[in-house]
Amino acid sequence: MRILVTTALPYANGDIHLGHLAGCYLPADIYCRYQRSKGRDVIHIGGTDEHGVPITLLAEREKKSPQEIVDFYHKRIKDSFEKFGILFDNFSRTSLPLHHKTSQDFFLKIYEKGYIYPKKVRQFFCPNCQFFLADRYLEGTCPHCQNPKARGDQCEECGRWLEPFMLLEPKCKTCGGLPEERETEHYFFALSRFQKQLADWIKEKRHWKENVKRFCEGWFRQGLEDRAITRDLPWGVKVPLPEAKGKVLYVWFDAPIGYISSTMEWAEKMGKKDLWKEYWLSSETRLIHFIGKDNIVFHAIVWPAMLMAYGDFILPAEIPANEFLNLEGRKISTSENWAIWLPDYLKEFPPDPLRYALANNLPENRDIDFTYKEFQAKNNNELADIYGNFVNRVLLFIKKNLGEIKEGKVEDEVRAKIEEVKKEAEDLIERFRIRDGLKVLMALPSFGNRYFDYQEPWRTVKSDRKRCEKTIFNCLKLIEACEVLLRPYLPFTSEKMRRMLSLKERNWDELEDNSFFTTSPQLGEIEILFNKIPDEKIEIELKKLKGETMEITIEDFKKIDLRVGRIINAERVPGSDKLLKLEVNLGSELRQIVAGIGSVYEPEELIGKNVCVVANLKKAKLRGVESYGMILAAEDGAVISLLVTDKEIRPGSPVL
């Protein structure tokens, strides 16, 4: 049995936020890490969705090409996922030639089988902008929930899929003007012809989540309609027909094909070009799509119908869609900047506390609210006070009182607890109850704390050393079990624990081997697993979220030594696309400063610029290169601009 896991392709027009993580990326990562730890053949396929109107709208606003936008955000999204521990076997892009060819071949085969046809339609045209308005170039009032900012393809408020003419009081999103109706031709996918086949197929999925089945049944009751799958846009996968000049595939037609092209790219990287076929063309594969509920219609209805029309590929076996994550009592809104962005979070906190807090509160069956206070409580009261406390108190006891632990024997009670927790968590994770799986696993460190207290090793170390050593050996076995079983949820913590105990990476089922229960680890350097988050830190983050300025006194500001510096030399830091090593003249001295601006500035264009420098910043090393100071720059999405003087001024002059 092979397992092919995909996660919805995020648009390459902005950063990842907590709603994205809770919706599909974190549960998919936990599930895949668990399956790998079970020794199963599983691959996690993903990438960025780099076509469609959101990309072109942002490019127009920032006066950049769509390619510049997607290049910037693909790298930023990929880097954020890696730092947060979201592992992909392949993380691709829909702007790659391989994807364009795959999508065009897919279109042609369905077209040749008669499931795609041209049709004259009325479409909105903006007389001011002089082009036909694709769905997201339109904004208006949703006919279902009266949201005044619904898009021409979907309402973010109620999640309904819309068509442009369904909008009330539509207007052009570019100029704000009133559009007019004109005739044009588009290509339609015959979705209606697959209603019975889809309904019968979904009826068999008795184990699917109820929210997915209910959503699909609602669409079937209304009756499926054929859908336009082309748009009049210059950016996207070109329709591979000579008579369709100037038209591209609708992003929601080509995006799921990205799962196939990304798997093809993975196979090529593995040196086995046809390996992808063993996953997409074999009945031995379980295809699992992790998505948020706003993507159910595309993954449970439109995409399966496309696969049925094509005829060779397997159909999804599971679609574990999550509901929405709200934030501090409000719906996440990217337009209003009501979101916690992953790059911003990672500047302030380590990954695992957020992985834990989100996994503990995944919106698996209903919308869930995330709050900073609850995040703090999960970290302080559970990770630090339960899990971290158990590990650190045992290891510090060994270091202080015993030095080392020899091989021993695990008590029946301890072995039974490990096996019980393991079995119950397996059952839950296999059924995509990721949140409940974590709650079961956290019973293990809780049990360890109770066991430690009951056995009183601080007393028996003086009165009965053998009993004390036996107690600590059993505690170590519980710690090792925690490292393995909680690794899918807390990979960075488990890595730290393996260092502390000089452990190799065991898989899930090795916990059933007798050798696990008889060998003793070697104690290394002890680290604190989880630092508590103080109230002041949470207050700062809440103020940032609400857009409130943190006030400082003039005395605080005077502590910052801002000076004008002239860049006299610049070069790239080897092995980094982003870091530049700058030689800066501060008047009385030359400083070496490393700045993360290499993605938007070439080294040679910086030479001679007068910039603002934080001159009293503590020395640091970035990629092994010493940096003494900080160059000030402004950032707005893909735009990064250095703060430079508008007049010639002597290097070293204070910035007042």
Side-chain angles (χ1 to χ4, degrees):
M1 174 66 72
R2 302 178 190 88
I3 303 172
L4 173 58
V5 171
T6 75
T7 35
L9 308 184
Y11 274 128
N13 70 333
D15 287 323
I16 296 296
H17 59 61
L18 265 59
H20 297 134
L21 293 174
C24 66
Y25 303 111
L26 181 59
D29 181 70
I30 291 167
Y31 181 81
C32 288
R33 285 177 179 272
Y34 158 76
Q35 295 291 357
R36 289 189 199 103
S37 190
K38 291 284 290 181
R40 292 171 181 154
D41 182 351
V42 57
I43 56 173
H44 184 186
I45 296 297
T48 43
D49 185 351
E50 301 188 351
H51 298 135
V53 175
I55 308 295
T56 55
L57 282 172
L58 182 60
E60 288 170 9
R61 283 200 306 271
E62 298 195 352
K63 295 181 171 52
K64 291 178 177 288
S65 70
Q67 191 65 56
E68 288 177 295
I69 295 295
V70 297
D71 286 348
F72 176 84
Y73 279 110
H74 171 79
K75 185 177 186 307
R76 194 167 166 92
I77 290 169
K78 188 169 185 261
D79 289 348
S80 293
F81 277 145
E82 288 175 356
K83 290 174 183 174
F84 194 63
I86 306 293
L87 295 181
F88 290 92
D89 290 272
N90 197 62
F91 192 74
S92 191
R93 320 175 56 173
T94 59
S95 62
L96 294 179
L98 172 63
H99 174 73
H100 280 234
K101 182 180 184 307
T102 305
S103 298
Q104 289 170 334
D105 290 346
F106 201 102
F107 174 94
L108 283 173
K109 184 164 182 178
I110 297 178
Y111 176 75
E112 289 163 1
K113 293 173 79 171
Y115 294 120
I116 293 174
Y117 59 91
K119 179 182 175 182
K120 296 284 186 183
V121 295
R122 305 288 292 176
Q123 189 175 342
F124 283 121
F125 180 88
C126 180
N128 294 332
C129 300
Q130 283 296 300
F131 56 69
F132 281 100
L133 299 176
D135 38 39
R136 291 204 180 189
Y137 275 88
L138 280 163
E139 189 174 81
T141 300
C142 174
H144 302 290
C145 71
Q146 309 307 309
N147 169 28
K149 293 186 177 181
R151 305 188 308 250
D153 63 340
Q154 192 175 29
C155 175
E156 284 191 337
E157 191 68 33
C158 66
R160 299 286 188 91
W161 190 6
L162 303 175
E163 294 291 346
F165 284 103
M166 296 170 68
L167 289 177
L168 307 177
E169 301 178 347
K171 60 185 178 182
C172 173
K173 201 163 184 176
T174 302
C175 70
L178 296 177
E180 58 187 44
E181 291 185 39
R182 292 193 185 180
E183 188 176 78
T184 185
E185 184 175 76
H186 278 296
Y187 289 82
F188 280 69
F189 173 55
L191 181 64
S192 62
R193 292 167 63 182
F194 292 91
Q195 171 149 342
K196 184 178 186 310
Q197 193 175 346
L198 285 166
D200 290 344
W201 172 67
I202 287 176
K203 192 178 294 183
E204 296 171 357
K205 308 296 181 184
R206 294 180 176 85
H207 57 288
W208 275 20
K209 293 175 72 171
E210 281 303 314
N211 63 337
V212 176
K213 296 184 71 174
R214 280 197 306 269
F215 191 94
C216 295
E217 288 162 2
W219 275 75
F220 295 148
R221 282 194 298 272
Q222 294 177 21
L224 299 184
E225 298 177 0
D226 296 353
R227 297 286 171 174
I229 58 168
T230 58
R231 294 291 185 267
D232 293 303
L233 289 171
W235 176 252
V237 178
K238 290 180 171 52
V239 176
L241 297 172
E243 62 270 27
K245 188 176 179 181
K247 296 190 187 295
V248 299
L249 296 179
Y250 176 39
V251 65
W252 263 111
F253 184 87
D254 89 88
I257 300 170
Y259 301 142
I260 299 172
S261 61
S262 182
T263 315
M264 290 176 171
E265 184 186 30
W266 166 77
E268 288 182 1
K269 289 177 179 177
M270 297 288 287
K272 299 176 181 178
K273 190 175 180 181
D274 291 333
L275 182 59
W276 70 273
K277 296 177 182 177
E278 296 183 15
Y279 291 84
W280 279 100
L281 306 179
S282 170
S283 60
E284 295 297 310
T285 301
R286 289 181 74 218
L287 173 59
I288 303 172
H289 294 310
F290 280 86
I291 57 169
K293 72 175 177 182
D294 52 335
N295 287 330
I296 291 175
V297 64
F298 301 110
H299 285 80
I301 294 179
V302 181
W303 172 234
M306 290 166 58
L307 294 170
M308 290 171 181
Y310 192 95
D312 293 334
F313 297 110
I314 58 170
L315 297 176
E318 303 279 356
I319 305 180
N322 274 359
E323 302 290 308
F324 288 144
L325 183 79
N326 296 323
L327 176 59
E328 297 288 348
R330 287 172 52 187
K331 185 173 180 178
I332 290 174
S333 171
T334 57
S335 60
E336 297 176 13
N337 199 31
W338 187 257
I340 298 174
W341 304 98
L342 184 54
D344 293 339
Y345 168 87
L346 291 169
K347 289 177 185 175
E348 305 297 335
F349 304 100
D352 277 356
L354 180 58
R355 288 179 66 103
Y356 182 82
L358 289 177
N360 236 298
N361 214 16
L362 287 173
E364 293 176 343
N365 303 304
R366 60 184 177 85
D367 290 357
I368 295 290
D369 194 41
F370 177 93
T371 69
Y372 265 118
K373 287 293 186 183
E374 186 175 3
F375 162 70
Q376 179 192 28
K378 291 293 181 187
N379 179 82
N380 293 1
N381 303 340
E382 297 178 21
L383 287 180
D385 284 350
I386 297 175
Y387 191 12
N389 177 58
F390 174 54
V391 173
N392 287 110
R393 72 193 297 206
V394 171
L395 300 190
L396 289 171
F397 183 88
I398 295 171
K399 184 175 182 180
K400 182 179 178 181
N401 298 286
L402 301 175
E404 64 175 354
I405 295 294
K406 300 174 184 177
E407 293 184 2
K409 186 176 185 302
V410 173
E411 293 182 18
D412 291 342
E413 178 191 15
V414 171
R415 182 165 187 160
K417 187 64 178 179
I418 293 172
E419 291 173 349
E420 172 199 332
V421 165
K422 175 180 175 294
K423 183 177 179 182
E424 190 174 347
E426 283 177 344
D427 176 65
L428 292 166
I429 297 173
E430 293 284 3
R431 292 188 288 127
F432 306 103
R433 292 174 57 183
I434 308 296
R435 181 181 60 199
D436 291 340
L438 177 57
K439 290 175 180 176
V440 165
L441 290 170
M442 279 299 288
L444 213 52
S446 295
F447 172 85
N449 275 312
R450 292 195 303 273
Y451 176 83
F452 187 91
D453 290 340
Y454 180 76
Q455 295 294 334
E456 299 181 326
W458 59 88
R459 181 179 59 80
T460 59
V461 71
K462 300 172 183 175
S463 61
D464 188 344
R465 189 175 179 89
K466 283 189 176 181
R467 181 183 168 189
C468 176
E469 290 178 351
K470 181 181 177 182
T471 296
I472 298 302
F473 180 81
N474 277 267
C475 287
L476 283 173
K477 291 295 106 179
L478 285 166
I479 289 172
E480 289 184 67
C482 288
E483 184 276 312
V484 175
L485 298 178
L486 281 160
R487 189 190 306 150
Y489 295 87
L490 304 170
F492 298 94
T493 302
S494 287
E495 183 181 354
K496 189 185 293 187
M497 289 169 65
R498 290 196 300 277
R499 284 199 307 269
M500 289 196 291
L501 293 170
S502 305
L503 296 170
K504 68 179 181 70
E505 189 171 308
R506 290 187 179 93
N507 69 35
W508 194 278
D509 290 335
E510 282 184 75
L511 298 189
E512 298 175 3
D513 295 343
N514 284 328
S515 59
F516 167 77
F517 290 102
T518 56
T519 56
S520 179
Q522 299 298 311
L523 192 62
E525 186 175 343
I526 301 172
E527 305 174 54
I528 295 175
L529 277 192
F530 305 101
N531 289 305
K532 290 200 172 186
I533 301 171
D535 292 342
E536 310 85 75
K537 181 67 177 170
I538 294 300
E539 290 304 318
I540 290 172
E541 296 306 314
L542 280 169
K543 286 181 181 292
K544 285 183 191 175
L545 176 64
K546 296 172 183 176
E548 297 176 8
T549 304
M550 293 298 297
E551 295 182 351
I552 62 172
T553 66
I554 190 65
E555 297 305 319
D556 292 327
F557 182 73
K558 286 179 179 178
K559 295 175 183 177
I560 305 171
D561 182 9
L562 293 175
R563 295 192 230 163
V564 173
R566 182 171 297 155
I567 300 173
I568 61 173
N569 194 27
E571 61 185 75
R572 292 194 177 275
V573 173
S576 173
D577 296 330
K578 187 177 180 181
L579 298 180
L580 297 181
K581 183 171 68 173
L582 311 176
E583 190 174 1
V584 182
N585 180 4
L586 287 178
S588 60
E589 61 179 314
L590 294 179
R591 289 276 189 91
Q592 178 174 289
I593 299 175
V594 177
I597 55 175
S599 59
V600 291
Y601 286 100
E602 292 298 326
E604 53 271 18
E605 69 179 297
L606 295 174
I607 296 173
K609 286 188 181 293
N610 286 336
V611 294
C612 294
V613 178
V614 180
N616 60 338
L617 192 68
K618 189 177 179 180
K619 288 182 180 179
K621 280 194 174 182
L622 300 173
R623 287 285 182 96
V625 180
E626 186 177 88
S627 179
Y628 190 15
M630 177 187 287
I631 305 292
L632 297 186
E635 179 181 4
D636 180 15
V639 178
I640 296 176
S641 178
L642 287 174
L643 302 184
V644 298
T645 61
D646 64 348
K647 295 178 182 178
E648 189 59 35
I649 192 166
R650 180 175 55 83
S653 299
V655 177
L656 305 175

